[in-house]
Amino acid sequence: MQKVCLVVYCIFLATAVICNTNDDFPVVINTWPFKDATVAAWESLSNGNSALDAVVAGCTRCEVLQCDGTVGYGGSPDENGETTLDAMIMNGVTHDVGAVADLKRIKNAIGVARAVMEYTTHTFLVGEAASQFAISMGFEEESLSTNKSIDMYKKWKQTDCQPNFRQHVVPDPKKSCGPYSPGESHEKSKYSQRYNKDVSEHNHDTIGMVILDKEQNLVAGTSTNGANHKVPGRVGDSPVAGAGAYVDNDVGGAAATGDGDTMMRFLPSYQTVENMRRGLDPEAASHAALKRILRFYPKFSGAIVAVNKTGSYGAACHGFDKFPYCVISPKSGAVKILTEVCT
C-alpha cells in the first residue's frame, strides 16, 4: 500500500513540475486597451525585474502617457479645478499593500504607493500629508494641471457645474456652482438625482493591472486621477485593497474599473478572488462578483479582469456595450486586446 501511495505521489509531483514549466507564465493583464502599459510591464519582467517592478513600470507608463486622460496628470479636475491622483499596489505573497489618495502635485502616484508599502508600516496615506511624504522620499513636486484640464474646468463652470456628484442639495441662489446646502425643495432640484457615470472605453477613470510572474507569484496595481469634477477629497475604489484590485498568492488576482463609488461598497476584486477560491474560473468569478452589485445598483457600470494561479484569465462587465482589456503571456507572444461583451 505504501508503495502504491508513493508511486501516486511521485506521479503527482511530476505532473506538478510539468504544469509549472509550461508556457503559461508570466501573465500580464490590465483593464482597457492600454497596450503601452502592458508592454512596459512585460519588458520589465523580461529584463529580470520583479513583478512589483513590472506593475510599477506598467502603471507609470500610463501615468506618463495620460492614458485616455483618466490616468495621471492633466485630467479629471475636481470641483476646485485641481487634478489629484490615487494609486495602490499589493503583493500577493505577503499581502503587503501601499496606497495613496487625493495625492497633490506628484505625478508618479504608483511609485509613491510602493514607497508607502516599503518605507512605512502603514497601508494608506491621503491628501497633503501624502504629498509631503512623497517629497520626503525624493519625488518631484510639480503641477498636475495642464491647459486641457484647465479648459475642462472652465467649460464645466460655464455649464453651471453640471453634471456633478452632488445630490439632495440646492446651491446658493446667486452661485449656481455652490456652496451647496440641504433645502426644503431639494427633491425638486436638478441636483437631487445621483449622477450615474456613463462608463465606456473613452470615459472611465483608472488602470488596474495584475501580474502572475514565472514563479506564479501575484502582484496588482492601480492608478487613476479619479472621477471628473469630483467633490474635493473624494476617494474612489482604485486605491482600496479589495475594491480596485486584490491578489492572493494561493488563488489569483483581480482588478476593477468603472463606477468606483458604487463598486467599492462591495469589494468586487476581493470577491472575485474568493469566487476563484471556491473553484470558479476567472470569467465566472468576475461575473458573480458583479452580480452581487446588481441587486442594489442595477444601473451601475463596471468591469473586472482576473487571472488565477494557473494562468487562466477572463473578464466581465456590466452597464456599457463592451469592455476591451489587454493580456500578454509567452503563448500570445504579443499584447492581445480582448473584448468582453457586457450584460
Side-chain angles (χ1 to χ4, degrees):
M1 183 66 180
Q2 289 180 339
K3 290 183 178 180
V4 172
C5 292
L6 181 59
V7 170
V8 172
Y9 183 63
C10 289
I11 292 173
F12 171 78
L13 285 179
T15 303
V17 170
I18 291 173
C19 290
N20 288 336
T21 57
N22 60 26
D23 293 330
D24 292 337
F25 320 115
V27 176
V28 177
I29 185 169
N30 57 265
T31 57
W32 306 111
F34 297 152
K35 289 181 63 175
D36 290 320
T38 320
V39 169
W42 186 257
E43 289 178 345
S44 182
L45 290 172
S46 300
N47 290 331
N49 295 315
S50 69
L52 284 169
D53 293 330
V55 161
V56 171
C59 291
T60 297
R61 181 67 62 88
C62 251
E63 291 172 347
V64 171
L65 296 178
Q66 303 166 282
C67 289
D68 279 352
T70 63
V71 182
Y73 70 101
S76 299
D78 64 19
E79 287 188 343
N80 293 330
E82 184 175 16
T83 295
T84 60
L85 307 179
D86 303 342
M88 183 268 286
I89 190 167
M90 182 173 185
N91 186 336
V93 179
T94 62
H95 282 234
D96 288 340
V97 174
V100 291
D102 196 27
L103 183 69
K104 309 170 190 293
R105 306 184 308 282
I106 306 293
K107 288 185 175 180
N108 187 203
I110 187 70
V112 181
R114 184 177 185 178
V116 172
M117 182 177 70
E118 294 186 336
Y119 299 117
T120 80
T121 58
H122 299 313
T123 296
F124 209 152
L125 298 180
V126 300
E128 183 61 32
S131 301
Q132 293 304 317
F133 167 79
I135 294 167
S136 73
M137 291 290 102
F139 290 87
E140 183 180 358
E141 185 176 17
E142 52 192 322
S143 174
L144 300 182
S145 295
T146 62
N147 290 336
K148 180 180 179 180
S149 66
I150 293 170
D151 187 55
M152 289 170 61
Y153 178 65
K154 287 180 178 179
K155 289 180 178 179
W156 181 70
K157 294 280 283 187
Q158 291 168 2
T159 56
D160 294 337
C161 300
Q162 292 296 306
N164 63 32
F165 291 90
R166 304 280 180 168
Q167 65 176 357
H168 307 316
V169 297
V170 292
D172 184 316
K174 297 179 181 179
K175 298 179 181 179
S176 59
C177 290
Y180 305 91
S181 62
E184 293 181 2
S185 60
H186 76 262
E187 291 86 356
K188 298 180 181 180
S189 168
K190 64 180 179 180
Y191 302 92
S192 64
Q193 298 299 314
R194 176 180 170 82
Y195 170 39
N196 286 306
K197 187 176 181 182
D198 181 19
V199 180
S200 69
E201 180 179 347
H202 301 294
N203 183 24
H204 53 89
D205 59 10
T206 186
I207 179 174
M209 176 177 285
V210 182
I211 291 179
L212 176 69
D213 70 16
K214 62 182 180 181
E215 283 80 31
Q216 293 177 272
N217 294 320
L218 286 141
V219 174
T222 66
S223 183
T224 181
N225 54 35
N228 201 9
H229 312 309
K230 59 184 175 283
V231 177
R234 177 260 190 185
V235 176
D237 64 324
S238 297
V240 178
Y246 192 80
V247 282
D248 186 313
N249 227 52
D250 294 334
V251 182
T257 183
D259 181 359
D261 289 290
T262 296
M263 295 179 74
M264 69 189 298
R265 303 167 192 179
F266 298 86
L267 299 178
S269 294
Y270 172 80
Q271 187 61 51
T272 298
V273 172
E274 289 305 298
N275 291 341
M276 290 192 289
R277 193 190 304 277
R278 294 190 293 109
L280 297 184
D281 64 61
E283 182 175 346
S286 300
H287 275 290
L290 293 179
K291 190 175 180 179
R292 293 177 72 246
I293 306 174
L294 286 172
R295 177 184 171 191
F296 297 92
Y297 299 97
K299 294 183 179 181
F300 93 98
S301 300
I304 300 171
V305 295
V307 60
N308 67 18
K309 187 74 171 179
T310 68
S312 297
Y313 53 81
C317 54
H318 175 81
F320 41 101
D321 293 336
K322 60 183 180 179
F323 169 55
Y325 64 98
C326 293
V327 177
I328 187 170
S329 69
K331 283 186 175 180
S332 70
V335 177
K336 295 192 299 183
I337 297 179
L338 304 177
T339 301
E340 185 75 11
V341 177
C342 302
T343 58

